[in-house]
Amino acid sequence: MASAELRLETNVEGDVFVDSTCIDCDACRQIAPETFRESGGQSAVWQQPETEEARMRAAMALVACPTASIGARTLDVRAASAVFPVLVEENVHFNGYTSESSFGAFSYLVTRPEGNVMIDSPRFARPLVRRIEALGGIDRILLTHRDDVADHARFAAHFDARRTLHRDDVISSTSAVESQPAGSDPVGIDGDFVMIPTPGHTRGHAVFLHQDRFLFTGDHLAWDPRRERLYAFRRACWYSWDEQVRSMERLLDYSFEWVLPGHGRPVRLPRATMHEELIRCVRWMKSRS
């Protein structure tokens, strides 16, 4: 729980607050934008939650916060803990419980009769683990890149899950990953997933396409709700911006409705609109080269 003594002055008065340990990961602002906003390089409460829905979303943000920087006496944290994984659409869920080691990156769970799949890793939190057990466990863990692996090893050991990570992003902490595809060609996984290498943010970054509908994009592609457009993280491109532009162009060969990023809110658009937005994103990226 956050410390009242470290409460940021940028919070409005009231029960819910953010303290100075906030790392500005943006998770709370994505989960409960009606309560949290960016202020001075950190998150802060700009409006106290009053409705039942707003209070639940604020409690979910508290539970998901990777640094326990959100404080409140009156929010129902127990109820919020039981929500995750929360349904996004169809069989795709958001795991919450973000990890400081992955800078608050989002992780997802896809439930399937043939075995559930986790994309990237959240914190290994017991309430989340119990909920995933009730949903059938985890058969596979697909890791988009080296930054968002968090507690992958604990999840893999607990659920006896097989992991996948592109070989170019394998480091000492992921050397035991069972499947390490190499090269630039797409790789089919279990019939309804395609691993598409997208080097740029990191050398071995990859995105995962599920059922030609859901694109899990890690740190490659996200949605800007303020400008209402797709974009890439220019300032957080650790390997090669030119490579990332070429990787983005290759995504034009695919059709999908959803972008589910590691950082930012999932967005759904009609396929034609999504394709147009991707073209616009590529054009913008080329202007920044």
Side-chain angles (χ1 to χ4, degrees):
M1 185 69 72
S3 168
E5 295 179 356
L6 300 178
R7 180 184 180 121
L8 293 170
E9 295 181 357
T10 48
N11 293 290
V12 298
E13 291 296 325
D15 178 54
V16 185
F17 67 93
V18 179
D19 75 13
S20 60
T21 63
C22 170
I23 59 174
D24 195 29
C25 73
D26 195 37
C28 68
R29 304 195 297 265
Q30 297 298 337
I31 296 169
E34 63 275 23
T35 298
F36 302 96
R37 284 187 180 176
E38 188 276 335
S39 180
Q42 291 176 301
S43 291
V45 175
W46 74 279
Q47 178 176 281
Q48 290 292 329
E50 296 180 355
T51 67
E52 183 177 343
E53 180 180 356
R55 290 180 62 77
M56 173 55 76
R57 300 297 296 186
M60 290 168 61
L62 186 156
V63 170
C65 177
T67 51
S69 300
I70 299 173
R73 296 186 305 275
T74 61
L75 293 180
D76 192 344
V77 177
R78 184 185 297 272
S81 299
V83 168
F84 297 112
V86 61
L87 184 66
V88 177
E89 169 82 359
E90 198 172 300
N91 62 332
V92 176
H93 305 74
F94 165 51
N95 286 321
Y97 289 94
T98 64
S99 171
E100 185 175 6
S101 67
S102 58
F103 199 66
F106 284 11
S107 166
Y108 302 92
L109 181 74
V110 177
T111 54
R112 314 179 305 166
E114 63 269 41
N116 296 341
V117 177
M118 177 183 283
I119 297 90
D120 289 330
S121 174
R123 273 179 284 141
F124 190 86
R126 289 295 175 183
L128 177 63
V129 171
R130 287 193 292 269
R131 283 274 293 159
I132 292 176
E133 288 172 343
L135 289 170
I138 302 170
D139 184 62
R140 281 188 176 269
I141 300 174
L142 306 179
L143 302 171
T144 59
H145 64 296
R146 63 194 294 172
D147 297 339
D148 294 352
V149 300
D151 289 335
H152 72 100
R154 294 186 68 184
F155 280 102
H158 183 83
F159 290 104
D160 192 25
R162 180 177 175 83
R163 294 161 289 178
T164 298
L165 175 66
H166 195 283
R167 187 174 302 170
D168 287 342
D169 257 25
V170 173
I171 55 178
S172 58
S173 61
T174 51
S175 60
V177 165
E178 293 79 9
S179 176
Q180 301 178 15
S184 59
D185 292 335
V187 177
I189 300 174
D190 286 356
D192 58 359
F193 278 90
V194 178
M195 178 183 186
I196 307 169
T198 50
H201 173 74
T202 59
R203 184 178 179 183
H205 196 290
V207 300
F208 294 93
L209 180 61
H210 175 54
Q211 293 182 338
D212 292 325
R213 287 194 65 205
F214 303 94
L215 189 70
F216 300 93
T217 59
D219 286 2
H220 178 68
L221 178 65
W223 176 256
D224 185 338
R226 291 173 298 179
R227 297 180 177 87
E228 295 188 337
R229 64 178 176 86
L230 294 173
Y231 75 105
F233 301 101
R234 180 66 178 92
R235 294 182 180 180
C237 181
W238 312 129
Y239 175 59
S240 168
W241 183 248
D242 289 339
E243 277 292 320
Q244 191 160 351
V245 173
R246 287 190 285 271
S247 295
M248 201 71 74
E249 286 183 301
R250 286 195 291 275
L251 288 184
L252 292 171
D253 294 335
Y254 298 88
S255 175
F256 48 90
E257 300 174 24
W258 280 88
V259 165
L260 299 107
H263 296 280
R265 202 174 309 162
V267 62
R268 181 185 186 183
L269 299 173
R271 290 179 187 270
T273 304
M274 185 70 81
H275 189 75
E276 291 170 2
E277 288 299 323
L278 192 57
I279 291 174
R280 181 183 301 176
C281 179
V282 170
R283 188 182 305 123
W284 170 80
M285 292 177 72
K286 287 182 174 179
S287 74
R288 300 294 299 273
S289 296

